[in-house]
Amino acid sequence: MRAAPIYASLHLYMTCQTHRSRGSGEGRLSVTTQLPPDIDKLFSQRSNRHGQAAFTNPRNIGDRIALSAGYPDPSSMPKSDMAESMRLGLERDGELALQYGANRGYDRLLEQLQVKLKRDQGIECTEDELLIVGGAGQGLGLIADAFCDPGDVVISEEPTWMGAVRHFRGIGVDVEPVRVDDKGTSIDELKASVERLESEGRRPKLIYMIPNFQNPIGVTTTLERRKEIIDLAKTHMIPIIEDDAYSDLRYRGDKLPTMYELDDSGMVIYLSTFSKIIGAGLRLGWIVAHPRFISAFAALKHEGGTSPFVSAAVTEFCASGTLVEHIGELRKVYGGRHAAMIKALQAHMPDGVSWSDPEGGFFVWVTLPDGISVGDVTPTLKDAGVDVSPGTQFYFHGGGDNAIRLSFSFANEARIETGVKALAEAIEAAAARG
Ligand SMILES: Cc1ncc(COP(=O)(O)O)c(C=O)c1O
C-alpha cells in the first residue's frame, strides 16, 4: 500500500530522528524535538480551523487591572458555604457523588434546577427538558454539533460572545451576522437575512442570541423583539439558542420573560450556567429544550454525566437557600461596580467617546472617537498594567476596530476607576499623536 505523502515524509523524518537520538545515546522525546514543517497536515480540518490554544491562567493576572475577561469577582467566591455544601453533599450521597454520573446530570441537582428556573426565570420544565453540561460553553458546542455540518449557515448577533465566535468558526459554519441595536437583535436585519438565505436555498440551521445584557454590548432585547424573533423562528423552523448566562445579575429595570417561556413551538433552546452566580470553577451549566433536542445533545456528550461530585455540592448550596442569598449579594457587588465604571467613564472620557449603560451583566461597550483604533490605545494601556478586550474579538468577519469591551466584574471599584482613567489617558495620547 502506498503511504499518503504526509505519512511518508513523517515516517522518513522520524526514522532519521530516532537514529540520530540513538546515536547520541538519548533516545527520548523532549520539548525541543523538531517536528516536520508540514505537521499541521496531521490534524483534522476542524482542529486546524481552531488553531492552537492560548494557554491562559487566572493566577497570572497578579496585580494587573483586568477589565478584560468576564471573570467573576474573586472576593465574592462563596468559599466557606461551598465547603459546607461539599461536606453535606458527600455525607448525604457520597456513594453517588463519587460514582460515574447519570448522563442527563445528577438527579438531585435536576430537581433544584427546576425550582430555580421556575423561581428566577419563570421557566416551568420537566426533567425531560433538562441536561446538565460542563458549563454553557460546552452546552453551546453540543447544540452546534447537533445541528450543524461544515458549510451550513448559522445566524448570530454581532458583535457577540467571543466563545461563540470561536465555536462557530471552529466547526466551519458560515455565520450570517445580524446587528445589535439599542433594542437588541435587529429584527429587520434578521428577517432580511432569513428571507435572502432561503431564496438562495440555504435555510439557516440556528439563530444564536444573548437577550439579557448582551455580551459584549450590554443591551437587552425588548419584549416585542423577543416575540417577533420567536414568530420568525417558528415560521421558518429555525431553532434559537437563547444564551442567558447573566439574567440573574440585573441591577436596575424590570425582568423580561425568557424566550423559552414565551415560545410555544419548541424552537427555543435555553442555555445558562452557574459560572457567574456561584463560580466559573464549578464548570457547571444547563440546557433546557424540547426532549427530542435534549436527547440529541446528550447523545453527543460522550464523557457521560457532568461531575456528580460538584453537582452534589451545588445541590446543597441551592437547597439550603444559600444560592438565593448569594445572588442578592452579587447584585449589590456588581451593581456597585457597574455604577463605579459608568461614573469613571463620565468623569474621565474625552469628547467623542461613547459607551453603553447595561441594566445588568458584566460589560460596558466603549466606542472610540473617529480616527482612533484599538491598536492605538492598547500598547499604552498594557504598559500601564491595564487589560481590556479589543472589540475585534467579538466579530466573525472583521470589525470592532473602533471599540473596546470593559468588564466590571473582576476589578474592585478603586481599580475600575484607575483602569478607566488610564484608558481615557491612552485615548487622549492617541488623539494628540494624530
Ligand atoms: C454569553 C456567555 N455565554 C456563555 C459563557 C460561558 O459560560 P460557562 O462558563 O458556563 O462556560 C459566557 C462566559 O463568559 C458568556 O459570556
Side-chain angles (χ1 to χ4, degrees), residues 57-89:
N57 185 345
R59 197 184 292 283
N60 298 338
I61 294 174
D63 257 358
R64 299 191 65 77
I65 298 182
L67 305 181
S68 42
Y71 287 174
D73 172 32
S75 60
S76 302
M77 296 297 185
K79 292 187 289 191
S80 54
D81 284 331
M82 190 47 75
E84 176 59 9
S85 301
M86 221 175 243
R87 192 191 63 73
L88 275 174

PDB file of all heavy atoms in Angstrom, residues 57-89:
ATOM      1  N   ASN A  57      -3.991  31.550  32.361  1.00  0.00           N
ATOM      2  CA  ASN A  57      -4.069  31.112  33.756  1.00  0.00           C
ATOM      3  C   ASN A  57      -4.428  32.315  34.618  1.00  0.00           C
ATOM      4  O   ASN A  57      -3.653  33.280  34.670  1.00  0.00           O
ATOM      5  CB  ASN A  57      -2.697  30.546  34.174  1.00  0.00           C
ATOM      6  CG  ASN A  57      -2.727  29.965  35.572  1.00  0.00           C
ATOM      7  OD1 ASN A  57      -3.668  30.219  36.337  1.00  0.00           O
ATOM      8  ND2 ASN A  57      -1.708  29.211  35.920  1.00  0.00           N
ATOM      9  N   PRO A  58      -5.599  32.272  35.280  1.00  0.00           N
ATOM     10  CA  PRO A  58      -6.008  33.446  36.064  1.00  0.00           C
ATOM     11  C   PRO A  58      -4.998  33.813  37.161  1.00  0.00           C
ATOM     12  O   PRO A  58      -4.928  34.973  37.575  1.00  0.00           O
ATOM     13  CB  PRO A  58      -7.355  33.032  36.671  1.00  0.00           C
ATOM     14  CG  PRO A  58      -7.550  31.600  36.369  1.00  0.00           C
ATOM     15  CD  PRO A  58      -6.605  31.204  35.291  1.00  0.00           C
ATOM     16  N   ARG A  59      -4.183  32.848  37.595  1.00  0.00           N
ATOM     17  CA  ARG A  59      -3.166  33.161  38.605  1.00  0.00           C
ATOM     18  C   ARG A  59      -2.198  34.230  38.082  1.00  0.00           C
ATOM     19  O   ARG A  59      -1.647  35.015  38.838  1.00  0.00           O
ATOM     20  CB  ARG A  59      -2.375  31.880  38.950  1.00  0.00           C
ATOM     21  CG  ARG A  59      -1.596  31.963  40.249  1.00  0.00           C
ATOM     22  CD  ARG A  59      -0.771  30.722  40.479  1.00  0.00           C
ATOM     23  NE  ARG A  59      -1.520  29.515  40.736  1.00  0.00           N
ATOM     24  CZ  ARG A  59      -2.108  29.216  41.888  1.00  0.00           C
ATOM     25  NH1 ARG A  59      -2.038  30.047  42.897  1.00  0.00           N
ATOM     26  NH2 ARG A  59      -2.767  28.088  42.036  1.00  0.00           N
ATOM     27  N   ASN A  60      -2.024  34.233  36.749  1.00  0.00           N
ATOM     28  CA  ASN A  60      -1.054  35.177  36.168  1.00  0.00           C
ATOM     29  C   ASN A  60      -1.574  36.610  36.083  1.00  0.00           C
ATOM     30  O   ASN A  60      -0.839  37.501  35.678  1.00  0.00           O
ATOM     31  CB  ASN A  60      -0.641  34.718  34.757  1.00  0.00           C
ATOM     32  CG  ASN A  60       0.048  33.375  34.800  1.00  0.00           C
ATOM     33  OD1 ASN A  60       0.568  32.980  35.851  1.00  0.00           O
ATOM     34  ND2 ASN A  60       0.057  32.651  33.682  1.00  0.00           N
ATOM     35  N   ILE A  61      -2.832  36.837  36.421  1.00  0.00           N
ATOM     36  CA  ILE A  61      -3.350  38.221  36.361  1.00  0.00           C
ATOM     37  C   ILE A  61      -2.588  39.087  37.357  1.00  0.00           C
ATOM     38  O   ILE A  61      -2.273  40.239  37.108  1.00  0.00           O
ATOM     39  CB  ILE A  61      -4.875  38.270  36.636  1.00  0.00           C
ATOM     40  CG1 ILE A  61      -5.632  37.553  35.518  1.00  0.00           C
ATOM     41  CG2 ILE A  61      -5.361  39.719  36.752  1.00  0.00           C
ATOM     42  CD1 ILE A  61      -7.129  37.413  35.756  1.00  0.00           C
ATOM     43  N   GLY A  62      -2.248  38.462  38.509  1.00  0.00           N
ATOM     44  CA  GLY A  62      -1.426  39.159  39.516  1.00  0.00           C
ATOM     45  C   GLY A  62      -1.990  40.526  39.844  1.00  0.00           C
ATOM     46  O   GLY A  62      -3.155  40.657  40.197  1.00  0.00           O
ATOM     47  N   ASP A  63      -1.142  41.548  39.652  1.00  0.00           N
ATOM     48  CA  ASP A  63      -1.509  42.913  40.032  1.00  0.00           C
ATOM     49  C   ASP A  63      -2.125  43.720  38.903  1.00  0.00           C
ATOM     50  O   ASP A  63      -2.440  44.893  39.070  1.00  0.00           O
ATOM     51  CB  ASP A  63      -0.230  43.642  40.468  1.00  0.00           C
ATOM     52  CG  ASP A  63      -0.182  43.717  41.971  1.00  0.00           C
ATOM     53  OD1 ASP A  63      -1.140  43.237  42.610  1.00  0.00           O
ATOM     54  OD2 ASP A  63       0.807  44.260  42.490  1.00  0.00           O
ATOM     55  N   ARG A  64      -2.286  43.099  37.740  1.00  0.00           N
ATOM     56  CA  ARG A  64      -2.799  43.850  36.603  1.00  0.00           C
ATOM     57  C   ARG A  64      -4.276  44.231  36.841  1.00  0.00           C
ATOM     58  O   ARG A  64      -4.991  43.523  37.545  1.00  0.00           O
ATOM     59  CB  ARG A  64      -2.676  43.026  35.311  1.00  0.00           C
ATOM     60  CG  ARG A  64      -1.232  42.678  34.972  1.00  0.00           C
ATOM     61  CD  ARG A  64      -1.106  42.109  33.589  1.00  0.00           C
ATOM     62  NE  ARG A  64      -1.456  43.040  32.534  1.00  0.00           N
ATOM     63  CZ  ARG A  64      -0.684  44.040  32.103  1.00  0.00           C
ATOM     64  NH1 ARG A  64       0.492  44.219  32.646  1.00  0.00           N
ATOM     65  NH2 ARG A  64      -1.088  44.841  31.137  1.00  0.00           N
ATOM     66  N   ILE A  65      -4.674  45.327  36.285  1.00  0.00           N
ATOM     67  CA  ILE A  65      -6.088  45.729  36.394  1.00  0.00           C
ATOM     68  C   ILE A  65      -6.811  45.065  35.226  1.00  0.00           C
ATOM     69  O   ILE A  65      -6.679  45.492  34.077  1.00  0.00           O
ATOM     70  CB  ILE A  65      -6.236  47.264  36.358  1.00  0.00           C
ATOM     71  CG1 ILE A  65      -5.498  47.854  37.568  1.00  0.00           C
ATOM     72  CG2 ILE A  65      -7.711  47.668  36.345  1.00  0.00           C
ATOM     73  CD1 ILE A  65      -5.602  49.359  37.690  1.00  0.00           C
ATOM     74  N   ALA A  66      -7.528  43.989  35.529  1.00  0.00           N
ATOM     75  CA  ALA A  66      -8.145  43.192  34.462  1.00  0.00           C
ATOM     76  C   ALA A  66      -9.565  43.681  34.197  1.00  0.00           C
ATOM     77  O   ALA A  66     -10.494  43.342  34.932  1.00  0.00           O
ATOM     78  CB  ALA A  66      -8.130  41.720  34.832  1.00  0.00           C
ATOM     79  N   LEU A  67      -9.718  44.485  33.150  1.00  0.00           N
ATOM     80  CA  LEU A  67     -11.055  44.910  32.711  1.00  0.00           C
ATOM     81  C   LEU A  67     -11.390  44.146  31.432  1.00  0.00           C
ATOM     82  O   LEU A  67     -12.184  44.573  30.619  1.00  0.00           O
ATOM     83  CB  LEU A  67     -11.075  46.424  32.443  1.00  0.00           C
ATOM     84  CG  LEU A  67     -10.606  47.334  33.587  1.00  0.00           C
ATOM     85  CD1 LEU A  67     -10.703  48.801  33.185  1.00  0.00           C
ATOM     86  CD2 LEU A  67     -11.424  47.097  34.858  1.00  0.00           C
ATOM     87  N   SER A  68     -10.718  43.029  31.254  1.00  0.00           N
ATOM     88  CA  SER A  68     -10.847  42.271  30.006  1.00  0.00           C
ATOM     89  C   SER A  68     -11.826  41.107  30.167  1.00  0.00           C
ATOM     90  O   SER A  68     -12.991  41.231  29.780  1.00  0.00           O
ATOM     91  CB  SER A  68      -9.470  41.784  29.550  1.00  0.00           C
ATOM     92  OG  SER A  68      -8.720  41.303  30.642  1.00  0.00           O
ATOM     93  N   ALA A  69     -11.386  39.996  30.726  1.00  0.00           N
ATOM     94  CA  ALA A  69     -12.237  38.799  30.756  1.00  0.00           C
ATOM     95  C   ALA A  69     -13.448  38.976  31.681  1.00  0.00           C
ATOM     96  O   ALA A  69     -13.403  39.753  32.634  1.00  0.00           O
ATOM     97  CB  ALA A  69     -11.416  37.604  31.219  1.00  0.00           C
ATOM     98  N   GLY A  70     -14.495  38.207  31.400  1.00  0.00           N
ATOM     99  CA  GLY A  70     -15.699  38.235  32.250  1.00  0.00           C
ATOM    100  C   GLY A  70     -15.561  37.266  33.411  1.00  0.00           C
ATOM    101  O   GLY A  70     -16.434  36.416  33.622  1.00  0.00           O
ATOM    102  N   TYR A  71     -14.452  37.401  34.159  1.00  0.00           N
ATOM    103  CA  TYR A  71     -14.260  36.534  35.326  1.00  0.00           C
ATOM    104  C   TYR A  71     -15.091  37.047  36.497  1.00  0.00           C
ATOM    105  O   TYR A  71     -15.104  38.258  36.746  1.00  0.00           O
ATOM    106  CB  TYR A  71     -12.791  36.529  35.750  1.00  0.00           C
ATOM    107  CG  TYR A  71     -11.841  35.772  34.857  1.00  0.00           C
ATOM    108  CD1 TYR A  71     -10.470  35.819  35.085  1.00  0.00           C
ATOM    109  CD2 TYR A  71     -12.293  35.001  33.794  1.00  0.00           C
ATOM    110  CE1 TYR A  71      -9.576  35.126  34.281  1.00  0.00           C
ATOM    111  CE2 TYR A  71     -11.409  34.302  32.995  1.00  0.00           C
ATOM    112  CZ  TYR A  71     -10.049  34.370  33.244  1.00  0.00           C
ATOM    113  OH  TYR A  71      -9.166  33.682  32.454  1.00  0.00           O
ATOM    114  N   PRO A  72     -15.711  36.132  37.266  1.00  0.00           N
ATOM    115  CA  PRO A  72     -16.428  36.585  38.459  1.00  0.00           C
ATOM    116  C   PRO A  72     -15.480  37.180  39.506  1.00  0.00           C
ATOM    117  O   PRO A  72     -14.281  36.897  39.492  1.00  0.00           O
ATOM    118  CB  PRO A  72     -17.077  35.307  39.001  1.00  0.00           C
ATOM    119  CG  PRO A  72     -16.869  34.247  37.987  1.00  0.00           C
ATOM    120  CD  PRO A  72     -15.807  34.689  37.038  1.00  0.00           C
ATOM    121  N   ASP A  73     -16.051  37.979  40.396  1.00  0.00           N
ATOM    122  CA  ASP A  73     -15.274  38.665  41.438  1.00  0.00           C
ATOM    123  C   ASP A  73     -14.596  37.661  42.384  1.00  0.00           C
ATOM    124  O   ASP A  73     -15.282  36.898  43.064  1.00  0.00           O
ATOM    125  CB  ASP A  73     -16.236  39.559  42.241  1.00  0.00           C
ATOM    126  CG  ASP A  73     -15.563  40.164  43.457  1.00  0.00           C
ATOM    127  OD1 ASP A  73     -14.343  40.420  43.394  1.00  0.00           O
ATOM    128  OD2 ASP A  73     -16.256  40.345  44.482  1.00  0.00           O
ATOM    129  N   PRO A  74     -13.277  37.685  42.502  1.00  0.00           N
ATOM    130  CA  PRO A  74     -12.586  36.729  43.374  1.00  0.00           C
ATOM    131  C   PRO A  74     -12.978  36.884  44.844  1.00  0.00           C
ATOM    132  O   PRO A  74     -13.090  35.891  45.571  1.00  0.00           O
ATOM    133  CB  PRO A  74     -11.100  37.054  43.200  1.00  0.00           C
ATOM    134  CG  PRO A  74     -11.005  38.016  42.073  1.00  0.00           C
ATOM    135  CD  PRO A  74     -12.359  38.569  41.787  1.00  0.00           C
ATOM    136  N   SER A  75     -13.232  38.155  45.289  1.00  0.00           N
ATOM    137  CA  SER A  75     -13.513  38.333  46.723  1.00  0.00           C
ATOM    138  C   SER A  75     -14.945  37.908  47.084  1.00  0.00           C
ATOM    139  O   SER A  75     -15.291  37.831  48.267  1.00  0.00           O
ATOM    140  CB  SER A  75     -13.258  39.784  47.138  1.00  0.00           C
ATOM    141  OG  SER A  75     -14.105  40.614  46.396  1.00  0.00           O
ATOM    142  N   SER A  76     -15.781  37.634  46.080  1.00  0.00           N
ATOM    143  CA  SER A  76     -17.150  37.183  46.384  1.00  0.00           C
ATOM    144  C   SER A  76     -17.312  35.670  46.257  1.00  0.00           C
ATOM    145  O   SER A  76     -18.441  35.168  46.339  1.00  0.00           O
ATOM    146  CB  SER A  76     -18.147  37.842  45.426  1.00  0.00           C
ATOM    147  OG  SER A  76     -18.092  39.219  45.501  1.00  0.00           O
ATOM    148  N   MET A  77     -16.224  34.952  46.039  1.00  0.00           N
ATOM    149  CA  MET A  77     -16.368  33.497  45.884  1.00  0.00           C
ATOM    150  C   MET A  77     -16.870  32.899  47.203  1.00  0.00           C
ATOM    151  O   MET A  77     -16.268  33.150  48.258  1.00  0.00           O
ATOM    152  CB  MET A  77     -15.018  32.849  45.520  1.00  0.00           C
ATOM    153  CG  MET A  77     -14.450  33.277  44.186  1.00  0.00           C
ATOM    154  SD  MET A  77     -15.524  32.800  42.821  1.00  0.00           S
ATOM    155  CE  MET A  77     -14.524  33.287  41.415  1.00  0.00           C
ATOM    156  N   PRO A  78     -17.946  32.119  47.167  1.00  0.00           N
ATOM    157  CA  PRO A  78     -18.533  31.623  48.435  1.00  0.00           C
ATOM    158  C   PRO A  78     -17.771  30.404  48.965  1.00  0.00           C
ATOM    159  O   PRO A  78     -18.297  29.297  48.993  1.00  0.00           O
ATOM    160  CB  PRO A  78     -19.965  31.266  48.011  1.00  0.00           C
ATOM    161  CG  PRO A  78     -19.848  30.907  46.564  1.00  0.00           C
ATOM    162  CD  PRO A  78     -18.717  31.698  45.980  1.00  0.00           C
ATOM    163  N   LYS A  79     -16.529  30.642  49.400  1.00  0.00           N
ATOM    164  CA  LYS A  79     -15.653  29.512  49.731  1.00  0.00           C
ATOM    165  C   LYS A  79     -16.169  28.678  50.904  1.00  0.00           C
ATOM    166  O   LYS A  79     -16.227  27.457  50.823  1.00  0.00           O
ATOM    167  CB  LYS A  79     -14.237  30.017  50.013  1.00  0.00           C
ATOM    168  CG  LYS A  79     -13.547  30.575  48.769  1.00  0.00           C
ATOM    169  CD  LYS A  79     -12.098  30.918  49.005  1.00  0.00           C
ATOM    170  CE  LYS A  79     -11.958  32.144  49.877  1.00  0.00           C
ATOM    171  NZ  LYS A  79     -10.597  32.669  49.931  1.00  0.00           N
ATOM    172  N   SER A  80     -16.536  29.339  52.007  1.00  0.00           N
ATOM    173  CA  SER A  80     -16.915  28.513  53.163  1.00  0.00           C
ATOM    174  C   SER A  80     -18.290  27.864  52.956  1.00  0.00           C
ATOM    175  O   SER A  80     -18.502  26.711  53.345  1.00  0.00           O
ATOM    176  CB  SER A  80     -16.841  29.307  54.470  1.00  0.00           C
ATOM    177  OG  SER A  80     -17.611  30.447  54.329  1.00  0.00           O
ATOM    178  N   ASP A  81     -19.208  28.573  52.324  1.00  0.00           N
ATOM    179  CA  ASP A  81     -20.520  27.954  52.047  1.00  0.00           C
ATOM    180  C   ASP A  81     -20.362  26.753  51.116  1.00  0.00           C
ATOM    181  O   ASP A  81     -21.051  25.742  51.253  1.00  0.00           O
ATOM    182  CB  ASP A  81     -21.475  28.967  51.398  1.00  0.00           C
ATOM    183  CG  ASP A  81     -22.022  29.959  52.406  1.00  0.00           C
ATOM    184  OD1 ASP A  81     -22.150  29.584  53.592  1.00  0.00           O
ATOM    185  OD2 ASP A  81     -22.297  31.108  52.027  1.00  0.00           O
ATOM    186  N   MET A  82     -19.434  26.876  50.176  1.00  0.00           N
ATOM    187  CA  MET A  82     -19.249  25.765  49.239  1.00  0.00           C
ATOM    188  C   MET A  82     -18.575  24.583  49.951  1.00  0.00           C
ATOM    189  O   MET A  82     -18.905  23.425  49.682  1.00  0.00           O
ATOM    190  CB  MET A  82     -18.423  26.246  48.032  1.00  0.00           C
ATOM    191  CG  MET A  82     -18.359  25.286  46.874  1.00  0.00           C
ATOM    192  SD  MET A  82     -19.951  24.573  46.386  1.00  0.00           S
ATOM    193  CE  MET A  82     -20.701  25.953  45.547  1.00  0.00           C
ATOM    194  N   ALA A  83     -17.668  24.895  50.882  1.00  0.00           N
ATOM    195  CA  ALA A  83     -17.013  23.806  51.635  1.00  0.00           C
ATOM    196  C   ALA A  83     -18.075  23.032  52.426  1.00  0.00           C
ATOM    197  O   ALA A  83     -18.091  21.794  52.454  1.00  0.00           O
ATOM    198  CB  ALA A  83     -15.949  24.376  52.567  1.00  0.00           C
ATOM    199  N   GLU A  84     -18.988  23.774  53.046  1.00  0.00           N
ATOM    200  CA  GLU A  84     -20.051  23.143  53.828  1.00  0.00           C
ATOM    201  C   GLU A  84     -20.989  22.347  52.902  1.00  0.00           C
ATOM    202  O   GLU A  84     -21.414  21.230  53.223  1.00  0.00           O
ATOM    203  CB  GLU A  84     -20.819  24.233  54.596  1.00  0.00           C
ATOM    204  CG  GLU A  84     -22.025  23.772  55.394  1.00  0.00           C
ATOM    205  CD  GLU A  84     -21.711  22.727  56.462  1.00  0.00           C
ATOM    206  OE1 GLU A  84     -20.520  22.454  56.739  1.00  0.00           O
ATOM    207  OE2 GLU A  84     -22.677  22.137  57.012  1.00  0.00           O
ATOM    208  N   SER A  85     -21.284  22.915  51.728  1.00  0.00           N
ATOM    209  CA  SER A  85     -22.162  22.226  50.778  1.00  0.00           C
ATOM    210  C   SER A  85     -21.512  20.940  50.287  1.00  0.00           C
ATOM    211  O   SER A  85     -22.187  19.915  50.105  1.00  0.00           O
ATOM    212  CB  SER A  85     -22.463  23.125  49.574  1.00  0.00           C
ATOM    213  OG  SER A  85     -23.079  24.302  50.002  1.00  0.00           O
ATOM    214  N   MET A  86     -20.223  20.989  50.108  1.00  0.00           N
ATOM    215  CA  MET A  86     -19.494  19.808  49.640  1.00  0.00           C
ATOM    216  C   MET A  86     -19.533  18.717  50.718  1.00  0.00           C
ATOM    217  O   MET A  86     -19.764  17.548  50.434  1.00  0.00           O
ATOM    218  CB  MET A  86     -18.046  20.223  49.390  1.00  0.00           C
ATOM    219  CG  MET A  86     -17.444  19.647  48.155  1.00  0.00           C
ATOM    220  SD  MET A  86     -15.825  20.372  47.980  1.00  0.00           S
ATOM    221  CE  MET A  86     -16.040  21.217  46.475  1.00  0.00           C
ATOM    222  N   ARG A  87     -19.346  19.150  51.960  1.00  0.00           N
ATOM    223  CA  ARG A  87     -19.374  18.188  53.078  1.00  0.00           C
ATOM    224  C   ARG A  87     -20.752  17.535  53.153  1.00  0.00           C
ATOM    225  O   ARG A  87     -20.868  16.299  53.216  1.00  0.00           O
ATOM    226  CB  ARG A  87     -19.048  18.922  54.393  1.00  0.00           C
ATOM    227  CG  ARG A  87     -18.764  18.004  55.573  1.00  0.00           C
ATOM    228  CD  ARG A  87     -18.716  18.766  56.873  1.00  0.00           C
ATOM    229  NE  ARG A  87     -19.986  19.398  57.230  1.00  0.00           N
ATOM    230  CZ  ARG A  87     -21.061  18.762  57.657  1.00  0.00           C
ATOM    231  NH1 ARG A  87     -21.036  17.451  57.803  1.00  0.00           N
ATOM    232  NH2 ARG A  87     -22.181  19.415  57.940  1.00  0.00           N
ATOM    233  N   LEU A  88     -21.794  18.383  53.063  1.00  0.00           N
ATOM    234  CA  LEU A  88     -23.156  17.851  53.142  1.00  0.00           C
ATOM    235  C   LEU A  88     -23.470  16.924  51.972  1.00  0.00           C
ATOM    236  O   LEU A  88     -24.078  15.861  52.147  1.00  0.00           O
ATOM    237  CB  LEU A  88     -24.170  19.003  53.115  1.00  0.00           C
ATOM    238  CG  LEU A  88     -24.493  19.661  54.437  1.00  0.00           C
ATOM    239  CD1 LEU A  88     -25.384  20.875  54.204  1.00  0.00           C
ATOM    240  CD2 LEU A  88     -25.202  18.656  55.376  1.00  0.00           C
ATOM    241  N   GLY A  89     -23.037  17.334  50.790  1.00  0.00           N
ATOM    242  CA  GLY A  89     -23.282  16.531  49.583  1.00  0.00           C
ATOM    243  C   GLY A  89     -22.668  15.147  49.719  1.00  0.00           C
ATOM    244  O   GLY A  89     -23.294  14.132  49.366  1.00  0.00           O
TER     245      GLY A  89
END
